[in-house]
Amino acid sequence: LRGLARKNLDLIASIGFAQTQAVQKVAKEFPKVRFVLIDGVAQGNNVNSVTFKEEEGSYLVGVAAALASKTKKLGFIGGIDIPLIRTFACGYAQGAKSVDKKVEVISNMVGTTSAAWNDPAKGGELARAQFDRGVDVVFAVAGGSGMGTLQTAKEKGKLSIGVDSNQNHLYPGS
């Protein structure tokens, strides 16, 4: 960020809540440069933050998952147990329960450090454990770890839902 700010660009966009501290620090050092942080909130007179209502999209995901489920057992795999990911999980569970109050949602988090965003083996392991408990649809909100979840769902003949972009091309039909 500092390297970009030194170039006196009009606007520097930073993506992801993990960039919050860096944006705040560098924005303070370069008050004439404007910054935007996507998917996070940073303070500063020259900083704009863009956030989303993750719970709303996740609610719709929960509705779709509950309608597709035959066992009425759904899974959720998050990257790290932080407020953002809990918001996704809450919306998902509420959407599912709006379809059928008896739906059970089993949730797991991949880890407690930033490494949890890039551990596909652990994402797959958690999905496998959920499928063994009767889950037939899983929602992965775990960055690169979610790729393991999606792959395991395909291998087990279960349904999976990715996040942030259309991931159907990775494992069509699952």
Side-chain angles (χ1 to χ4, degrees):
L1 287 175
R2 227 178 245 110
L4 292 170
R6 286 185 185 116
K7 293 180 180 183
N8 292 317
L9 300 172
D10 291 331
L11 177 66
I12 298 172
S14 192
I15 313 300
F17 64 89
Q19 299 296 313
T20 301
Q21 290 180 354
V23 168
Q24 284 180 180
K25 185 174 185 174
V26 175
K28 188 182 282 187
E29 294 172 17
F30 295 89
K32 293 183 180 178
V33 177
R34 294 180 307 162
F35 294 82
V36 62
L37 176 62
I38 309 288
D39 204 19
V41 178
Q43 304 301 315
N45 293 333
N46 56 335
V47 178
N48 286 323
S49 299
V50 177
T51 59
F52 305 94
K53 295 182 179 182
E54 297 85 8
E55 70 279 8
E56 292 179 1
S58 293
Y59 184 96
L60 297 175
V61 170
V63 168
L67 291 171
S69 177
K70 292 176 180 33
T71 65
K72 300 304 173 196
K73 288 186 179 184
L74 306 178
F76 177 87
I77 297 179
I80 303 176
D81 188 8
I82 56 175
L84 173 70
I85 302 306
R86 286 194 301 269
T87 300
F88 274 97
C90 183
Y92 178 64
Q94 293 303 310
K97 290 184 182 295
S98 76
V99 172
D100 184 343
K101 297 210 182 307
K102 294 179 182 174
V103 166
E104 179 184 357
V105 179
I106 299 169
S107 293
N108 295 106
M109 299 293 174
V110 174
T112 58
T113 68
S114 61
W117 299 117
N118 197 24
D119 190 346
K122 182 72 181 266
E125 176 185 316
L126 293 172
R128 197 170 296 104
Q130 288 185 1
F131 297 143
D132 288 347
R133 292 178 62 188
V135 165
D136 61 349
V137 183
V138 65
F139 181 29
V141 184
S145 298
M147 295 301 111
T149 300
L150 303 179
Q151 181 179 0
T152 300
K154 176 68 172 182
E155 290 168 2
K156 294 286 189 178
K158 308 294 183 181
L159 296 174
S160 61
I161 303 166
V163 71
D164 295 335
S165 66
N166 182 352
Q167 296 170 340
N168 188 57
H169 67 282
L170 297 172
Y171 302 101
S174 68

